[in-house]
Amino acid sequence: MIGFYKHHIQYITENAVNPDRRRYAVKEEAPRHYIDLDIYGDSAVYKVPRYWKDAVAAYSEDTLQAYGIVPWHINRVRYQLTDALKVGDVSNILRLSADIGHYIADANVPLHTTENYNGQFTDQYGIHGFWESRLPELFSNNYDLFTGKASYIENPQIRIWETITQAHLGLDSVLAFEKKLSIEIKQDKQYEISQRGQSNIKTYSSNYSKAYHESLDGMVERQMKASIKLVGDMWFTCWVDAGQPNLDSLMSYQFTEEELKQRKEELQRWKEANIYNNRTHEH
Ligand SMILES: [Zn+2]
């Protein structure tokens, strides 16, 4: 797997932002990136049904779509990636590997688990980019992002919810610490003008960012590391579930459209034949 993924690191890096690009063109895309847990009441992160069907039964699909579906969408992409690995569909393996990485990283961002995702309800407008872009841009050079070996995930849907839970538990700190600093540090010290390419933009000042970063006590690094670990674990799990196909041969080999079509049809037939044996697969 390492050979295959290293070989395609540039593609995956460049395409990791595709899901955000699609948000403006595809209307189904936006809710795949977040879940507004607060709208489901107290302790929602522990109470919302883990599996899609149960959640639809509890709240209706319209409600879920309105407030975000990231925990379930990651699991759906996992099935798609497993299928792409089964048929050796290189372009979809790469596309879906990049996509799932994006959604997993979003799920690790505390502000992706709340309706107050940009501090708009607490007079902290801009905090989203502050936490997920400005802080890593300034400080990630010093992060230790080595996660070690990937491990097989026994129950991916539950593991995804553990991720969401961990992110959501950080939310109070993300909001409260910035609020505290915004009172302690004068407004004109909070921002600075910095250059981005040809233009000047107003950003959070380096001192203000440093103070916020220190108060968070490694949270951005922990969440980033958790993202990396889960992306690796998820790719590995899909590959194992696909029957551990040899990816070396896929590095250079390009299937023709006809071959891909055939293999997809084969998979479809296999699935139809196995549908009764696979009923328990999800739980
Ligand atoms: Zn996103």
Side-chain angles (χ1 to χ4, degrees), residues 33-276:
H33 298 246
Y34 60 85
I35 181 164
D36 294 342
L37 281 167
D38 8 43
I39 72 113
Y40 298 106
D42 273 357
S43 309
V45 75
Y46 302 109
K47 290 181 189 159
V48 171
R50 272 30 190 163
Y51 295 96
W52 175 249
K53 277 182 188 158
D54 303 337
V56 169
Y59 299 114
S60 90
E61 177 160 3
D62 282 355
T63 303
L64 299 180
Q65 293 289 355
Y67 297 104
I69 58 166
V70 66
W72 302 290
H73 190 68
I74 294 170
N75 203 36
R76 181 201 270 168
V77 180
R78 171 177 73 86
Y79 283 117
Q80 293 169 346
L81 176 56
T82 307
D83 283 355
L85 283 156
K86 278 180 189 159
V87 295
D89 179 349
V90 180
S91 72
N92 271 321
I93 293 170
L94 292 173
R95 183 180 65 83
L96 294 162
S97 293
D99 275 11
I100 207 169
H102 181 104
Y103 298 122
I104 287 172
D106 277 352
N108 276 280
V109 175
L111 289 164
H112 277 250
T113 68
T114 176
E115 215 178 359
N116 187 26
Y117 62 91
N118 200 15
Q120 69 274 31
F121 300 147
T122 46
D123 196 22
Q124 294 173 284
Y125 193 78
I127 194 171
H128 194 104
F130 192 15
W131 193 97
E132 75 166 27
S133 302
R134 183 69 172 147
L135 294 184
E137 169 190 282
L138 288 170
F139 305 110
S140 65
N141 276 344
N142 296 319
Y143 292 173
D144 169 15
L145 298 174
F146 186 74
T147 60
K149 265 188 153 180
S151 24
Y152 184 77
I153 307 168
E154 288 300 334
N155 190 324
Q157 183 67 89
I158 296 301
R159 171 76 181 280
I160 293 161
W161 273 102
E162 287 164 5
T163 296
I164 301 272
T165 305
Q166 189 192 318
H168 194 64
L169 292 178
L171 183 62
D172 271 352
S173 304
V174 168
L175 292 165
F177 294 161
E178 202 278 332
K179 184 56 99 182
K180 187 165 173 281
L181 283 174
S182 73
I183 294 161
E184 288 169 7
I185 297 176
K186 280 195 187 141
Q187 186 113 35
D188 65 326
K189 301 277 183 210
Q190 292 175 19
Y191 299 96
E192 67 190 22
I193 304 297
S194 68
Q195 216 181 356
R196 273 304 137 81
Q198 301 287 51
S199 51
N200 291 320
I201 54 156
K202 188 180 157 193
T203 54
Y204 292 93
S205 71
S206 5
N207 281 336
Y208 192 63
S209 302
K210 190 162 176 277
Y212 185 39
H213 195 249
E214 278 168 11
S215 69
L216 288 168
D217 193 25
M219 190 204 284
V220 180
E221 179 175 357
R222 276 195 303 280
Q223 292 306 105
M224 201 182 262
K225 201 166 171 173
S227 298
I228 295 166
K229 176 72 174 133
L230 184 53
V231 172
D233 288 355
M234 199 63 88
W235 288 351
F236 178 65
T237 301
C238 292
W239 175 75
V240 170
D241 290 347
Q244 309 189 17
N246 183 350
L247 299 181
D248 286 345
S249 58
L250 298 183
M251 278 207 267
S252 51
Y253 191 71
Q254 289 294 327
F255 292 99
T256 64
E257 287 300 313
E258 190 50 38
E259 274 176 306
L260 278 180
K261 196 166 156 265
Q262 264 176 23
R263 300 190 72 166
K264 280 178 188 163
E265 284 165 3
E266 272 167 27
L267 176 66
Q268 196 52 40
R269 280 197 296 277
W270 179 86
K271 280 188 160 176
E272 280 159 16
N274 284 279
I275 193 154
Y276 295 104

